[in-house]
Amino acid sequence: MYDVLYLLLRRLRKPLITVIVVYAVAVTGFVLIPGQDDSGQPWRMDFFHAIYFVSFMGSTIGFGEIPYPFTTPQRAWTLVTIYGTVIAWLYGIGSMLALVQEKGFSRILRRRSFAKEVRNFNEPFYLVCGYGVTGTAIIAALCKRGIRSVVVDVDQERIDALQMDDLLIRVPGLCANASLPDVLDDAGLQHSSCIGVLALTNEDNVNLSIAIASKLLQPDRVVVSRTESDVHARNLASFGTNHIIDPFRAYAEYLSLVANSPYMHLVYDWLVNPYHRPISSVYKKASGRWIICGFGRFGRALHDDFTRCGVEMVLLDDNPEVLDGYENTVLGLGTEAETLLKAGVDDAVAVVAGTHNDADNMSIIMTAMEINPKLVTVVRQNLSSNKLVFENSRADFVMEPGSIIANRILAKLKTPLLPVFIEKMQTHDEVWAHTLLNRMSNIAGDNELDSWSVEITEVSAPAVLAMLEQNMTVKLQSLMKNSRDRRHSLLCFPLLHRRGEVLSMLPGELIELQLGDEVLFCGLSSAKGRMEWILKNYNILFYILTGEDPSFNLLSRILKRF
């Protein structure tokens, strides 16, 4: 508030001084100029009457001559003061209007309003820095789950788009540089309800500044940062950034699953990607030679992962220096059929168009498909404005960094157990993944598969704790029963059980729950809502465990003993 008041006083200093001087001169003139009372005797107006008269004369033209009719000199002075005060007021009002219309003043008012709204938050929220493709997807997903968030972006058009987006929850937005600590402070970095900071801007340096400020001011706050540089990734990791998302490495790991473990890849898709594919779409013929066009950061990340997995590949780039030291290379981008034929596209299984130019990538895909229509095609989309073209490219995979980062972050925010499960599942074989996939398919069908975690604590599962305190046994299967008819089960099943440091993949449903247990489930979203009722409602859980309604009166308890 003080900065607004200071700016007002500083910018309106001259108009205010002008008004005060004009009023002072006018009042002095009326005090000095002699008048006459109603009996014709000489009379001089005192300061009180002069101030009173000038006050209503300056703001209104219609007035009476008080306390006696004016003399000619007094009326002449009145004429002078009328024009003087009107001009002074016009000057003052004009200056005020000009100040209100200034962008800087409007920005200060908006920021104060934004900070006040965030201060009044009394429920958990995420601070999201950057409202591009990634930020938009994350904010929409958080709103869908009923989680509040706050946005800071340096582009006013994106903040305007935030206000226009049809979100289920109001999301306050501020146009400012998120790398400045005072901006983060106004956005709620030190607010007790802030549960995490997401640094999602397009600038690695800005994301680094946000992460540093967050860890310095609130070391325990969860920080998620995107980066496209190995140097920044190492820097972010050095001071404890909780999650670092590199889109190139993330997508390289994703494609490695396609080449080596198609069923595992589809399990991953169902758990992470909201637009999952049917089980019939598994890429069973992805093992063989892969042609990688463009050997930048994405190409190198893909080469590293494929090398670890033993995938045969041919590298293409028009810069001979970047290919120096590597085997199976062809000089050229792959936009021409001759280059692709040298790389063996006619008997390859997949081609990756991973250059930094969208037009080149589309050209590579179209040329390769012309030669070998059975190819698995992967194309990198660099600009979101080209989305329409890439959606109609008929490529099997479109790599869009913003969407990759959004899916990765959402998986981590949705439940911390999900990344643990994804990491552990990759130690199993394809038979295990195929079995799991069939189980998922039986549960979800054509619907979207959701995942959530449950923690047995006093806050999140009070009904379970109440049963345990009464020495009643609560098994895992009890949480998956239909609260209306316990003979039926909810459309979900457990993926992971964690008790302390012990992890159990696909745990048995007869596990007896204990305080502190964590369980990761997958299934339909409707099952998640019903499970929350079981965890928190004593009567429902009692019915599921015993098949009876609980009785709390004394007579019922006595009768039950016999």
Side-chain angles (χ1 to χ4, degrees), residues 175-241:
C175 176
N177 186 350
S179 64
L180 302 176
D182 59 334
V183 172
L184 294 175
D185 191 34
D186 283 348
L189 175 62
Q190 301 194 73
H191 196 295
S192 58
S193 297
C194 181
I195 53 178
V197 179
L198 311 182
L200 307 176
T201 72
N202 294 326
E203 299 291 335
D204 280 354
N205 285 327
V206 174
N207 293 335
L208 182 63
S209 300
I210 295 169
I212 291 173
S214 302
K215 283 299 177 185
L216 283 175
L217 297 175
Q218 291 291 326
D220 298 331
R221 188 84 76 232
V222 173
V223 178
V224 181
S225 177
R226 66 168 288 176
T227 180
E228 297 182 3
S229 160
D230 291 334
V231 175
H232 283 95
R234 290 194 293 272
N235 200 347
L236 287 165
S238 66
F239 55 83
T241 302

Side-chain angles (χ1 to χ4, degrees), residues 6-72:
Y6 170 75
L7 184 60
L8 275 172
L9 292 176
R10 186 165 65 87
R11 295 300 303 273
L12 297 179
R13 180 180 55 191
K14 289 183 180 178
L16 287 174
I17 291 174
T18 302
V19 171
I20 292 171
V21 168
V22 169
Y23 270 61
V25 172
V27 168
T28 304
F30 280 110
V31 170
L32 296 178
I33 296 173
Q36 288 182 342
D37 61 14
D38 52 357
S39 59
Q41 298 299 317
W43 174 83
R44 285 186 183 277
M45 188 179 289
D46 57 23
F47 274 101
F48 171 74
H49 283 89
I51 293 172
Y52 174 66
F53 176 75
V54 173
S55 296
F56 70 74
M57 180 204 67
S59 56
T60 58
I61 299 300
F63 60 90
E65 297 173 352
I66 60 166
Y68 309 110
F70 283 179
T71 61
T72 301

